[in-house]
Amino acid sequence: MGLGSVLFTLPTFSAATTYSYQTSSTNSLEHWQNWQPVGQAQLSFLFFDVYQSTLLTPSGTYQQAFDVTPHPLALSIEYQRSISQQQLLDATLEQWQKLGFSAQDSRVWIKQLATIFPDIKTGQTLTYITNGTTGYFVYSPQPNQQQQIGMITDESLNDAFLSIWLSPKTEYSDLRKRLIGMKR
């Protein structure tokens, strides 16, 4: 496992700001910060803590299904190390290759994420909130400060992105089990 493969995650939010996000479906994601945690997982590489991830849903449960995002959820990652945008993109691409996504799709998706992902510093958080089909990213450069930084309207990208953590085929099966509440 290369260091690049462990560097990509989404952060946890502690801010009070709420974003309003309405989708074409009846799901409203505007209150995601009030959702219940399903699970948390720590990713470490050798002696270094990389990030702490938290999976949240309105009910506090994750329904396993063929689709990795069968319902609204938020994946929040608090980084414990600084990570450049390029490292995030490289790690994402590496994970998609391991999961078997096509090179053509992955190139298109990486270009989209390159317009969204920031450089991340220690203590910052990146969260992806989805209704199960589409979603958006919220970046927290400081506690109590949040910025919506990009939307995903392609369901395939939505699912591919979350597959890094939630697919049964993920490289990080123990992390997945903790996130979806199977292992405490």
Side-chain angles (χ1 to χ4, degrees), residues 7-22:
L7 295 178
F8 184 74
T9 50
L10 296 175
T12 304
F13 281 87
S14 58
T17 305
T18 300
Y19 287 99
S20 176
Y21 178 78
Q22 297 288 332

Side-chain angles (χ1 to χ4, degrees), residues 4 7-8 83-94 110 113-114 117-120:
L7 295 178
F8 184 74
I83 299 172
S84 72
Q85 177 199 51
Q86 191 59 53
Q87 287 174 306
L88 288 173
L89 294 169
D90 290 347
T92 300
L93 184 59
E94 180 181 340
I110 285 295
L113 294 179
F117 286 169
D119 291 326
I120 303 284

Side-chain angles (χ1 to χ4, degrees), residues 126-140:
L126 185 62
T127 299
Y128 184 67
I129 301 99
T130 179
N131 64 2
T133 306
T134 62
Y136 64 100
F137 287 94
V138 174
Y139 170 59
S140 181

Side-chain angles (χ1 to χ4, degrees), residues 41-59:
Q42 173 70 47
L43 182 65
S44 300
F45 180 73
L46 298 175
F47 302 106
F48 302 106
D49 290 336
V50 180
Y51 63 82
Q52 176 78 31
S53 54
T54 303
L55 185 66
L56 305 153
T57 66
S59 67

Side-chain angles (χ1 to χ4, degrees), residues 26-117:
T26 59
N27 293 327
S28 172
L29 306 181
E30 66 186 27
H31 301 291
W32 70 269
Q33 293 164 316
N34 297 324
W35 292 355
Q36 301 300 308
V38 176
Q40 286 190 320
Q42 173 70 47
L43 182 65
S44 300
F45 180 73
L46 298 175
F47 302 106
F48 302 106
D49 290 336
V50 180
Y51 63 82
Q52 176 78 31
S53 54
T54 303
L55 185 66
L56 305 153
T57 66
S59 67
T61 59
Y62 177 78
Q63 300 167 1
Q64 294 187 56
F66 176 71
D67 183 355
V68 296
T69 57
H71 50 72
L73 59 86
L75 178 64
S76 186
I77 298 169
E78 181 179 355
Y79 289 86
Q80 296 162 314
R81 302 189 59 74
S82 294
I83 299 172
S84 72
Q85 177 199 51
Q86 191 59 53
Q87 287 174 306
L88 288 173
L89 294 169
D90 290 347
T92 300
L93 184 59
E94 180 181 340
Q95 290 304 308
W96 285 340
Q97 290 168 344
K98 290 178 180 182
L99 287 164
F101 289 101
S102 79
Q104 180 180 353
D105 287 341
S106 296
R107 281 191 300 271
V108 170
W109 297 335
I110 285 295
K111 286 180 184 178
Q112 289 178 301
L113 294 179
T115 67
I116 297 172
F117 286 169

